[in-house]
Amino acid sequence: MASILMSNIQHHKILILDFGSQYTQLIARRIREIGIYCELLPYDVKPHFIEKFNPSGIILSGGPDTVGDDGSARAPEVIFNLNVPILGICYGMQTMAVQLGGKAKSSKKAEFGFAKIRARNHSKLLNKISDEKNSKGHSLLDVWMSHGIEVTKLPEGFELIASTDNCPIAGFANNNKNYFGLQFHPEVTHTKQGVQILERFVTEICKCQKKWTTDNIIEDLLLNIKNQVGNKKVLLGLSGGVDSSVVAILLHRAIGKQLICVFVDNGLLRLNEGSEVMNTFSENLGVKVIRANAQQYFYEQLSNESDPEAKRKIIGKAFIKIFDQEAKKINGVNFLAQGTIYPDVIESAGAASGKAKVIKSHHNVGGLPDDLKFELVEPLKELFKDEVRIIGEKLGLPRKILHRHPFPGPGLGVRILGPIKEEFVQILREADNIFMEELNNQQLYDKVDQAFAVFLPVKSVGVTGDDRRYDYVIALRAVETIDFMTARWARLPYDFLDHVSNRIINEISRVSRVVYDVSGKPPATIEWE
Ligand code: XMP
């Protein structure tokens, strides 16, 4: 569970109770973008956590349950005794209705997609917020609906604040208690005035001050790091990915030379990646980085192994061994820094409760040996990825690092199918580099969420001039995704693919053929192994 810090910028804060909607994290990100701190907890969190959190307002998210069904999720009763404003969104509105004496049942017509609502009764929440007026001067709003159940009877003390033709009670309010419900989703960008509505709730109704700003967050993080670490030494495994890079720059700002980074070159990095990390951090930013050149050790450990999971385990174990060796050479380290971010914390909380959506979490290189007993420094553990990027940018990290596609911990090790050979790594590095270069040249890199090349250890026949070739195959993969749980293969232009393929076959002598992966996830995964 996220730590509940009471520093000034988190003094006014919103609690979001997660009923398992795919949009819940989006609510939290919107509230933070508005400038107010919030945390997300599973809906069935123990009441004392809610009391201890002491929120200025509570938002109940949407969720997949059918309100009223046996065992369907309910908001903890304690929230109705705290005397704070509550906003229920979609399922959150329905359960609030039922728990407070109203009714909800299946809609005659389920609504998924755009809807136009009419605001009613000049509520505190929606008053003067509109996209357009109808001929009678009523405010209309374009919103995003996604529900098959709706509120059919208002609880006592509540009045109607929004309706559509299909959904007569699309919003309600109890103005005395400051309880509100919206059947539509203000957190998604399709609801044009969504941010205004959320801002109205958190600033005017919950009376939160906007203190969650980039400058304040950085100042607060630096102060917390200094307080935690004092004059002791901190060790950080720097991978060159977004999170560990931002941790490095933050710690460097806070404690300078007390930070020692270890960068393990496992021989499975992309072309020039090792020297780029060293240049950026060591040469340009003055961060103390030890480079462990362990390529041969990794290749030896991996020799002849072809099973993907076994390769992952070997790479993870080898990383720990090398990191451990380097750590033991440095005297007097008390802390280990990690790039845990808020979604990782939410995942573990969700996994603990079992009900809220659990996202795959197999990816962190974990498990340092017990004799490396360090206290953890996790400065990013309350931040979303976009906040981490903004902070990194403000602290001067290059865009190339901050906006890079995700790269798996085992690196090219899971992009060379079957046993890994140094020769295969060289071929893949060059092919991947051509693909990345061209994506960047054609401004396509930021249009896809992850792209890479895969080495296929099969040989295929080709012709070059009069010569027959019998060489390896490279697969290109590019996907569009929001959460990496599902993904659609990216519709990259044919001419672009043609150009990349020609370059790879012409410039890399051991490649005879290039293929493009047109598999979605599911059923395929994003990586090939
Ligand atoms: P899959 O292949 O499971 O990938 O669809 C989803 C996302 O996770 C990344 N991935 C990994 N990241 N260690 C990591 O750090 C791993 O072992 C690993 N396997 C997959 C993958 O690149 C994609 O972004």
Side-chain angles (χ1 to χ4, degrees):
M1 193 158 303
S3 77
I4 296 167
L5 291 177
M6 294 308 291
S7 64
N8 202 19
I9 60 171
Q10 293 170 329
H11 182 63
H12 289 134
K13 56 192 178 300
I14 299 293
L15 172 62
I16 299 161
L17 290 176
D18 182 12
F19 287 86
S21 154
Q22 55 174 329
Y23 301 131
T24 309
Q25 288 198 23
L26 214 48
I27 306 175
R29 282 165 51 196
R30 295 282 172 266
I31 302 296
R32 300 244 187 133
E33 280 159 16
I34 290 166
I36 289 151
Y37 184 69
C38 61
E39 283 190 23
L40 209 152
L41 294 177
Y43 75 91
D44 54 356
V45 63
K46 295 267 181 309
H48 72 269
F49 279 115
I50 299 178
E51 283 160 340
K52 195 164 151 213
F53 186 74
N54 191 20
S56 312
I58 295 174
I59 297 179
L60 310 178
S61 83
D65 282 6
T66 300
V67 75
D69 274 6
D70 279 354
S72 60
R74 290 170 73 86
E77 287 298 325
V78 64
I79 66 169
F80 301 115
N81 303 327
L82 294 178
N83 201 16
V84 295
I86 302 175
L87 169 64
I89 296 174
C90 197
Y91 184 84
M93 170 187 183
Q94 295 159 12
T95 192
M96 195 164 145
V98 170
Q99 289 183 241
L100 296 175
K103 285 197 176 127
K105 64 175 192 203
S106 294
S107 315
K108 280 195 201 97
K109 204 169 149 200
E111 278 181 303
F112 297 98
F114 282 107
K116 213 173 255 308
I117 62 146
R118 180 181 146 192
R120 294 181 175 258
N121 290 324
H122 304 284
S123 66
K124 275 195 232 175
L125 187 64
L126 302 179
N127 196 20
K128 297 203 167 67
I129 298 179
S130 77
D131 288 312
E132 55 178 314
K133 301 267 182 197
N134 67 10
S135 56
K136 294 190 183 126
H138 300 135
S139 293
L140 300 177
L141 288 151
D142 291 320
V143 302
W144 186 255
M145 291 275 207
S146 172
H147 70 106
I149 307 279
E150 64 188 53
V151 174
T152 48
K153 179 174 169 259
L154 294 170
E156 205 179 307
F158 279 71
E159 65 178 12
L160 183 68
I161 65 166
S163 60
T164 72
D165 292 343
N166 289 325
C167 181
I169 305 182
F172 63 36
N174 179 328
N175 288 305
N176 289 335
K177 289 189 179 285
N178 277 326
Y179 290 172
F180 302 89
L182 297 174
Q183 186 50 67
F184 60 90
H185 289 271
E187 68 276 24
V188 303
T189 47
H190 306 298
T191 298
K192 286 193 201 145
Q193 304 298 328
V195 173
Q196 276 76 346
I197 297 169
L198 289 172
E199 182 159 359
R200 169 79 59 84
F201 179 69
V202 292
T203 59
E204 293 179 32
I205 296 170
C206 301
K207 310 252 179 286
C208 293
Q209 286 172 18
K210 295 186 185 180
K211 297 205 167 172
W212 189 253
T213 60
T214 308
D215 287 342
N216 285 352
I217 298 171
I218 293 176
E219 199 185 315
D220 199 59
L221 289 172
L222 294 177
L223 199 71
N224 286 341
I225 294 169
K226 284 182 195 153
N227 284 342
Q228 186 187 0
V229 171
N231 56 10
K232 308 243 168 69
K233 283 187 194 163
V234 181
L235 184 67
L236 168 69
L238 179 64
S239 70
V242 179
D243 305 334
S244 73
S245 297
V246 175
V247 172
I249 188 79
L250 255 177
L251 284 166
H252 180 65
R253 272 288 170 91
I255 56 168
K257 297 285 177 208
Q258 288 162 249
L259 168 70
I260 303 141
C261 299
V262 172
F263 171 67
V264 176
D265 187 337
N266 59 9
L268 302 166
L269 303 171
R270 289 159 291 190
L271 193 69
N272 301 330
E273 196 166 1
S275 47
E276 276 170 21
V277 170
M278 293 308 289
N279 278 341
T280 308
F281 288 92
S282 182
E283 280 152 46
N284 298 343
L285 297 168
V287 179
K288 205 186 216 174
V289 189
I290 298 167
R291 177 174 183 164
N293 287 315
Q295 298 91 322
Q296 290 311 322
Y297 178 73
F298 277 81
Y299 295 151
E300 279 157 27
Q301 299 303 302
L302 284 163
S303 66
N304 298 325
E305 183 55 68
S306 57
D307 177 71
E309 286 311 304
K311 289 202 292 186
R312 276 192 172 79
K313 285 209 182 88
I314 292 171
I315 296 168
K317 221 168 124 196
F319 173 86
I320 289 164
K321 171 146 185 196
I322 301 293
F323 189 80
D324 185 28
Q325 265 173 12
E326 293 303 322
K328 286 193 172 129
K329 289 185 204 157
I330 311 161
N331 289 327
V333 174
N334 295 74
F335 293 92
L336 179 73
Q338 285 195 336
T340 319
I341 62 171
Y342 192 42
D344 304 330
V345 177
I346 298 171
E347 270 175 38
S348 0
S353 99
K355 193 95 179 200
K357 193 172 108 190
V358 181
I359 303 164
K360 181 153 79 174
S361 64
H362 63 276
H363 298 323
N364 281 339
V365 179
L368 285 174
D370 284 347
D371 59 339
L372 269 186
K373 281 213 176 68
F374 296 120
E375 192 182 318
L376 288 183
V377 182
E378 298 178 292
L380 309 181
K381 75 167 187 283
E382 288 168 344
L383 304 181
F384 284 106
K385 193 89 172 188
D386 36 10
E387 295 174 315
V388 171
R389 288 202 173 97
I390 294 170
I391 283 168
E393 212 167 304
K394 193 91 182 190
L395 293 174
L397 282 183
R399 205 190 134 73
K400 190 171 174 198
I401 288 187
L402 294 171
H403 292 271
R404 217 168 204 191
H405 296 162
F407 186 61
L412 302 184
V414 288
R415 293 180 180 171
I416 292 167
L417 305 194
I420 292 163
K421 296 195 181 137
E422 203 171 339
E423 180 205 359
F424 297 169
V425 176
Q426 302 304 349
I427 296 172
L428 179 57
R429 273 188 182 145
E430 285 179 43
D432 187 74
N433 189 53
I434 292 172
F435 190 24
M436 294 308 116
E437 232 173 57
E438 291 300 332
L439 283 166
N440 278 309
N441 288 347
Q442 314 281 329
Q443 275 90 46
L444 289 168
Y445 187 86
D446 292 330
K447 298 213 166 87
V448 296
D449 298 293
Q450 194 171 9
F452 52 90
V454 181
F455 178 87
L456 310 189
V458 288
K459 287 200 168 179
S460 143
V461 175
V463 279
T464 314
D466 293 331
D467 287 335
R468 179 179 178 279
R469 288 170 68 169
Y470 187 51
D471 269 312
Y472 295 111
V473 180
I474 287 288
L476 303 178
R477 178 90 163 127
V479 294
E480 291 164 4
T481 171
I482 292 175
D483 55 9
F484 297 88
M485 295 288 292
T486 61
R488 175 179 186 266
W489 58 273
R491 272 54 173 174
L492 289 173
Y494 285 171
D495 287 346
F496 169 78
L497 291 171
D498 182 46
H499 181 59
V500 175
S501 157
N502 275 330
R503 271 198 66 191
I504 292 176
I505 296 172
N506 288 328
E507 292 175 32
I508 310 173
S509 61
R510 301 302 316 273
V511 177
S512 66
R513 195 174 291 263
V514 172
V515 296
Y516 188 55
D517 183 349
V518 289
S519 329
K521 176 182 177 179
T525 51
I526 295 176
E527 301 290 344
W528 276 47
E529 279 200 338

